Amino acid sequence: MALRQIRTLGDPVLEKTCRTVKEMTPRLRELVDDMLETMYDQDGVGLAAPQVGVLRRIVVIDVGEGPMVLVNPVITETEGEQTGQEGCLSVPGKAGEVTRPETVKVQALDRDMQPFEFEAHELLARAVCHELDHLDGVMYVSKVNGELHDVVNEEETEEVPED
Ligand code: ZN
């Protein structure tokens, strides 16, 4: 496994539509492992393949309930509404308020290309919507209510004694 470089806003790869995965090749398995490692390394709750420069319909998510791998995911139903803060590893240091469905139903394939379905609520629903948008070249910044704002990292603002 290896960390992959995360593409940031302005990189044209983030604006493209990803291709469907037809077969789980060794190379794509390695991609999934690398995406998980990269997401955890960056303390993210989700990562989509185009964020590491690969235009395939693959996302990984972990909102604190364990890793999920979604291949060719599709939202089949949405319900309700939630408005809250959202950020993105491809837009470092920023956040903004986005309105998303409160609940989504999802169909996807797992890393062994076995189909499964699940219902997601709250943060997981938000993460699913955010990551699936990436597969169609949509960045959350286009959905922000109002303006993006800077995220203040408390660790960085603490006074650190110099050596
Ligand atoms: Zn993102």
Side-chain angles (χ1 to χ4, degrees):
M1 295 211 285
L3 294 176
R4 304 245 178 159
Q5 193 199 336
I6 295 183
R7 309 299 184 93
T8 52
L9 189 63
D11 190 318
V13 78
L14 292 172
E15 292 162 22
K16 298 201 165 121
T17 300
C18 294
R19 281 183 294 148
T20 300
V21 177
K22 296 209 171 83
E23 192 190 352
M24 183 51 66
T25 60
R27 209 173 147 157
L28 289 178
R29 278 187 187 280
E30 194 181 336
L31 170 70
V32 168
D33 288 339
D34 290 354
M35 284 171 63
L36 284 165
E37 191 179 354
T38 304
M39 173 181 74
Y40 289 125
D41 180 69
Q42 296 292 316
D43 292 322
V45 298
L47 191 68
Q51 292 182 274
V52 293
V54 180
L55 290 170
R56 294 304 182 111
R57 302 192 82 82
I58 299 175
V59 310
V60 296
I61 293 175
D62 189 342
V63 295
E65 297 166 1
M68 297 182 79
V69 176
L70 309 184
V71 177
N72 302 337
V74 179
I75 293 173
T76 55
E77 261 182 76
T78 67
E79 204 182 305
E81 214 177 79
Q82 58 172 322
T83 297
Q85 293 296 316
E86 212 162 290
C88 179
L89 294 178
S90 293
V91 192
K94 301 280 183 188
E97 188 189 271
V98 184
T99 300
R100 301 281 192 186
E102 172 68 23
T103 302
V104 296
K105 281 190 184 163
V106 185
Q107 286 182 351
L109 303 176
D110 67 15
R111 60 191 305 157
D112 297 314
M113 299 297 274
Q114 296 302 309
F116 69 108
E117 281 183 79
F118 64 100
E119 194 173 288
H121 305 272
E122 300 175 359
L123 178 59
L124 182 56
R126 176 176 296 283
V128 164
C129 293
H130 178 114
E131 299 310 330
L132 266 61
D133 273 353
H134 275 301
L135 302 182
D136 293 315
V138 176
M139 297 288 286
Y140 88 99
V141 297
S142 69
K143 298 189 166 178
V144 166
N145 309 326
E147 302 277 321
L148 279 184
H149 57 82
D150 293 330
V151 175
V152 178
N153 184 333
E154 286 176 10
E155 282 172 33
E156 282 174 12
T157 55
E158 269 175 17
E159 269 194 35
V160 180
E162 284 178 20
D163 288 340

